[in-house]
Amino acid sequence: MQITNFLIHSVILAPSYMSSELQKLWRPDLMNKMWIMWLTGFIFSFFFTFIYTKGCEGKGIFEGIRYGLYIGLMMVIPMAYNQYAVYPIPYSIAWQWFVFGMVQYILLGITVSLIYRGTPKETK
């Protein structure tokens, strides 16, 4: 998660974040608060994986894609569009957050499906 966050926000979207319009929104001491993002990323990663293991059906990579898609829709739509509603950001930023966020969650779902190969749950 931290790797994909870095690639999305520090590499891909960095030029978009440099606009004078957005520079006013960022904390001047942002780097001093990065530990909060690392901590919440760790907590999220734990629960993302934990929830996957509880519902794993043993269907491999396609299950990971589906899981990433579901969690992505649940997390990314409110995050991107609520931020757009609250802060004076261009719509293009909200759209990019949505698109790259969905890609990120699908990649995370694939990753967890490749790492965790638990036994399929019994069906009743």
Side-chain angles (χ1 to χ4, degrees):
M1 177 132 194
Q2 298 304 326
I3 293 168
T4 55
N5 276 339
F6 173 79
L7 290 173
I8 291 167
H9 299 289
S10 297
V11 177
I12 298 170
L13 294 178
S16 298
Y17 293 160
M18 293 301 154
S19 73
S20 61
E21 184 179 14
L22 293 179
Q23 286 296 308
K24 295 180 265 181
L25 296 176
W26 308 137
R27 289 180 164 276
D29 63 342
L30 175 68
M31 295 312 289
N32 293 335
K33 301 201 182 316
M34 286 303 291
W35 67 271
I36 296 170
M37 294 182 77
W38 295 329
L39 178 62
T40 59
F42 175 77
I43 292 167
F44 174 84
S45 296
F46 171 80
F47 281 105
F48 183 85
T49 304
F50 177 74
I51 293 166
Y52 180 84
T53 64
K54 294 302 178 188
C56 181
E57 298 173 351
K59 295 182 179 177
I61 197 167
F62 293 107
E63 183 174 13
I65 292 169
R66 183 184 70 212
Y67 178 68
L69 180 67
Y70 291 164
I71 298 295
L73 289 171
M74 180 179 74
M75 298 291 292
V76 176
I77 289 174
M79 183 281 302
Y81 291 100
N82 289 349
Q83 299 300 320
Y84 175 69
V86 172
Y87 300 109
I89 60 171
Y91 180 76
S92 63
I93 294 292
W95 175 249
Q96 290 176 82
W97 283 344
F98 170 73
V99 170
F100 289 119
M102 289 305 300
V103 170
Q104 179 182 36
Y105 281 100
I106 291 169
L107 290 174
L108 293 173
I110 290 169
T111 302
V112 77
S113 74
L114 293 173
I115 292 171
Y116 181 78
R117 297 181 184 264
T119 57
K121 302 292 179 204
E122 291 183 28
T123 55
K124 294 182 180 184

